[in-house]
Amino acid sequence: MDEPTLEFYRSNAQSYADWAKAPSTRLRGFLALLPQGGSILELGCGAGNHSAVMLAEGFSVRATDGSPEMAEIASQRLGHLVEAMRFDELDAHEAYDAVWASACLLHVPRDELAGILMRIRRALRPSGLFYASYKMGEGDGRDSLGRYYNYASPEWLEATYASAGPWITLSSETSVIQSFDETPANMLNLVVRKAAV
């Protein structure tokens, strides 16, 4: 994890939580692919808006965020424990039917992403599903708030995912969002299935 980025979310947890947008329109379609009451790990849950939908739909949710301050805010909002956990602390083995990582893995340094994807793959059950969204671009950098982004191209992401193990791509879509720093961002939204080795 990039320390200045983590520090930004620790220092600005309340204002970021108050800003947090409505849940992704892609979430319900993703949940429809899962077994009823299935187990979901959410990484980088922020204010907990996605976890709230998952819980309301009857899923078993392990919600996590790298910022202890954000995790505390989300816990209070959800009435459900949110763990302070960095991506590199994930050590589960075939524990989840799905992993949901909305606009959070885009902060992982480029040379560390494959290792994080390996941890996610290991945490998924056979044929488990994995959603993640990334800001598109070529080469990493920082935004006006000092947050690090790995600015992914589809080709770089495909190669990085492949280096973490075999996946089956179910969907790859682009969208435009308004970032916290009020600039538009082109996003790449990926849904993949863990494939057998």
Side-chain angles (χ1 to χ4, degrees), residues 1-196:
M1 186 69 187
D2 178 70
E3 286 299 335
T5 302
L6 184 58
E7 181 56 36
F8 169 85
Y9 288 108
R10 296 194 67 172
S11 300
N12 296 278
Q14 189 62 60
S15 57
Y16 189 84
D18 292 342
W19 169 84
K21 303 290 189 184
S24 169
T25 55
R26 292 171 174 78
L27 178 58
R28 292 196 183 276
F30 182 81
L31 297 179
L33 300 172
L34 302 179
Q36 189 171 9
S39 177
I40 304 173
L41 167 65
E42 182 173 11
L43 298 173
C45 76
N49 293 351
H50 292 115
S51 281
V53 175
M54 298 171 194
L55 290 165
E57 294 289 328
F59 289 94
S60 172
V61 181
R62 181 187 181 192
T64 68
D65 196 272
S67 160
E69 293 80 2
M70 192 77 76
E72 177 62 27
I73 291 169
S75 293
Q76 292 175 5
R77 289 187 174 195
L78 291 170
H80 179 87
L81 175 66
V82 175
E83 297 173 54
M85 184 187 79
R86 292 161 45 132
F87 307 135
D88 59 3
E89 294 172 329
L90 175 62
D91 60 2
H93 182 76
E94 294 191 358
Y96 306 103
D97 296 302
V99 173
W100 179 267
S102 179
C104 60
L105 296 179
L106 40 64
H107 292 309
V108 176
R110 286 172 78 92
D111 61 353
E112 296 176 21
L113 184 59
I116 299 302
L117 295 175
M118 285 180 190
R119 289 176 178 272
I120 290 169
R121 193 177 182 285
R122 187 177 61 204
L124 284 167
R125 293 176 179 145
S127 300
L129 295 182
F130 170 35
Y131 168 85
S133 52
Y134 301 89
K135 283 191 179 182
M136 298 179 68
E138 297 286 344
D140 56 1
R142 295 185 185 275
D143 68 4
S144 63
L145 301 174
R147 295 178 297 174
Y148 171 91
Y149 288 92
N150 50 36
Y151 293 125
S153 68
E155 296 76 18
W156 178 77
L157 268 184
E158 183 178 357
T160 304
Y161 271 61
S163 70
W167 307 90
I168 298 166
T169 301
L170 301 185
S171 66
S172 178
E173 302 171 341
T174 59
S175 61
V176 179
I177 66 162
Q178 191 84 355
S179 294
F180 185 61
D181 67 355
E182 299 185 348
T183 60
N186 294 312
M187 303 294 292
L188 182 62
N189 306 276
L190 275 180
V191 177
V192 298
R193 185 184 298 279
K194 179 179 177 177

